[in-house]
Amino acid sequence: MHNFNDKVISLARIDLNLFRVFAMIYKERNLTRASEQLFLSQPAVSHALSRLREHFDDPLFIRDGHGVVPSTLAKRLWPQISEALNLIHLALQSTHNFEPERDLKQLTIAMNDEFEPIIFPRIVQWFSKFIPDLQVISVRIDRKNLRHELSSGRIDFAIDVTHTIEKGIAQERCMKDKFVIMCQSQHPILKQGLSKDNYLTSQHITVSTRPTGRVFEDFILSKQGLKRLIRLRCQQYETAIKMLAQSQYLLTISNCQALHLKKHHADIEIRPLPINIEGYEMNLYWDDEKSNEQETIWCKTQLLEIMKELQALLNQNNESGEFITI
């Protein structure tokens, strides 16, 4: 007796490439974006979805605003289809050794704007030693959609401060840093001597792209019951530095950023923070499902080496007590 279930379970009745389309639509929740990721036309993706719908006798994806949402059956199918495609990908990879210059054409890394001038040039210089023609792309990090960005292949890695992550994202610490103060060389606080009290009562500039809410260093201070006097809030550290040059404000900033900015602003001083607060850690993030892929392993190793070199420069500054620009 033949019935609907016979049709569904028979591999001979379905093109396995359709499952690639299913997976990308599931990840992107949008047919246009799915077609872009698959390098197919949108009509081709729509046709593939129609064949899947006919095969499973289910809509699979239902229109919702500007995108689609998976049906109950699609949600049930997804874990097994995702795992099967991953196993096939690994099987195909095992047929040849990964050769960076031959196999790696593009590398996309997400990071914050303020760290891009420090990290991105190092990445480009490092990878050019192995792959001169590699296209390296830096994009702004989107923490809310990080897992989706990584799993869909929109980005390959992310470099960001430590934060809570969703299941499916792998991470490894790549740098640890502290906070310091930047101010103009004639700031009164330098003559008075830095202390917790005159730090807290001085006027401060803070930097954030968000319109409201505490920045990281204020959150850390608040855990000690401390609050400083914020007079200005701007979006860019370059703006804050220019304000320091013409005013008596303090800027609390990561040591790494301070050392980078110092080489362009010789008149601005760097001083240790007079309050014992914890610094911050930077992590490298990637799609956990790709952790065993040769390409991921190789790229991850290179990125960690780049960050290790940067950490060594920071440690050298900390041990010498001098502020050597980076």
Side-chain angles (χ1 to χ4, degrees):
M1 179 179 176
H2 296 283
N3 54 30
F4 168 71
N5 286 333
D6 294 327
K7 177 183 176 183
V8 170
I9 65 176
S10 174
L11 281 176
R13 293 176 179 269
I14 189 167
D15 180 355
L16 294 183
N17 282 313
L18 296 178
F19 290 117
R20 291 182 61 244
V21 175
F22 175 94
M24 195 56 68
I25 296 174
Y26 196 96
K27 291 177 180 178
E28 293 290 341
R29 308 295 170 98
N30 183 285
L31 267 63
T32 300
R33 291 200 300 266
S35 65
E36 291 170 354
Q37 292 295 319
L38 292 164
F39 298 100
L40 295 173
S41 66
Q42 188 167 344
V45 170
S46 297
H47 178 65
L49 179 55
S50 295
R51 292 175 61 189
L52 284 166
R53 285 169 167 166
E54 180 183 358
H55 181 83
F56 288 105
D57 193 24
D58 186 89
L60 296 177
F61 298 96
I62 303 157
R63 291 196 177 277
D64 178 45
H66 297 293
V68 294
V69 293
S71 69
T72 301
L73 177 61
K75 290 177 182 177
R76 195 163 70 241
L77 291 170
W78 167 247
Q80 288 76 26
I81 289 177
S82 176
E83 182 180 2
L85 289 172
N86 188 48
L87 288 172
I88 292 172
H89 183 67
L90 290 175
L92 292 173
Q93 271 213 327
S94 67
T95 62
H96 72 279
N97 291 324
F98 172 72
E99 295 182 14
E101 189 169 2
R102 180 193 65 194
D103 301 324
L104 187 62
K105 306 299 181 185
Q106 179 178 300
L107 182 65
T108 303
I109 305 171
M111 63 187 75
N112 285 324
D113 293 357
E114 59 262 33
F115 284 101
E116 185 187 60
I118 303 169
I119 299 173
F120 188 65
R122 287 177 160 81
I123 292 174
V124 173
Q125 183 179 19
W126 182 280
F127 277 87
S128 66
K129 297 185 296 185
F130 305 100
I131 317 168
D133 298 327
L134 178 66
Q135 183 182 22
V136 187
I137 300 171
S138 169
V139 298
R140 179 176 292 180
I141 195 162
D142 181 357
R143 291 176 187 164
K144 290 183 179 179
N145 298 305
L146 183 57
R147 185 188 178 200
H148 172 69
E149 297 281 283
L150 289 167
S151 64
S152 67
R154 283 182 172 276
I155 62 173
D156 300 300
F157 293 91
I159 299 174
D160 193 16
V161 294
T162 302
H163 56 82
T164 304
I165 57 173
E166 295 181 63
K167 183 179 179 182
I169 301 176
Q171 63 179 328
E172 185 168 338
R173 195 181 87 176
C174 59
M175 194 180 80
K176 187 172 184 177
D177 200 7
K178 63 181 182 180
F179 288 105
V180 294
I181 296 169
M182 297 190 83
C183 62
Q184 63 164 300
S185 57
Q186 301 302 314
H187 196 292
I189 201 171
L190 299 182
K191 298 177 182 178
Q192 299 166 6
L194 280 167
S195 67
K196 178 195 291 187
D197 289 340
N198 60 23
Y199 170 80
L200 294 174
T201 55
S202 293
Q203 299 186 82
H204 294 261
I205 302 176
T206 191
V207 179
S208 176
T209 55
R210 295 180 292 113
T212 60
R214 288 180 298 192
V215 296
F216 183 78
E217 54 268 31
D218 284 312
F219 176 75
I220 299 299
L221 286 170
S222 70
K223 293 202 295 186
Q224 296 187 27
L226 303 175
K227 185 177 181 180
R228 57 185 181 150
L229 187 61
I230 305 292
R231 286 299 187 198
L232 299 178
R233 182 180 178 120
C234 59
Q235 299 179 66
Q236 301 290 334
Y237 279 98
E238 277 290 348
T239 304
I241 292 290
K242 289 178 180 178
M243 293 304 299
L244 291 181
Q246 55 182 292
S247 61
Q248 294 186 355
Y249 294 102
L250 298 180
L251 173 65
T252 302
I253 187 172
S254 74
N255 190 33
C256 181
Q257 292 170 273
L259 294 171
H260 174 73
L261 291 166
K262 172 70 174 172
K263 60 187 175 186
H264 303 296
H265 301 277
D267 56 328
I268 302 299
E269 298 289 326
I270 302 175
R271 291 291 185 269
L273 195 66
I275 301 175
N276 185 24
I277 65 171
E278 61 186 278
Y280 67 93
E281 295 180 350
M282 299 281 286
N283 284 2
L284 181 67
Y285 300 93
W286 67 94
D287 182 9
D288 194 29
E289 287 188 0
K290 300 173 185 174
S291 291
N292 295 321
E293 294 184 7
Q294 295 180 53
E295 180 177 314
T296 299
I297 293 170
W298 186 83
C299 290
K300 181 184 73 172
T301 300
Q302 307 313 314
L303 290 169
L304 289 173
E305 281 297 316
I306 293 166
M307 298 304 291
K308 182 179 177 181
E309 282 197 355
L310 183 56
Q311 181 72 72
L313 286 172
L314 291 175
N315 293 342
Q316 180 183 344
N317 273 280
N318 294 339
E319 291 169 5
S320 67
E322 299 177 2
F323 293 101
I324 306 167
T325 57
I326 60 175

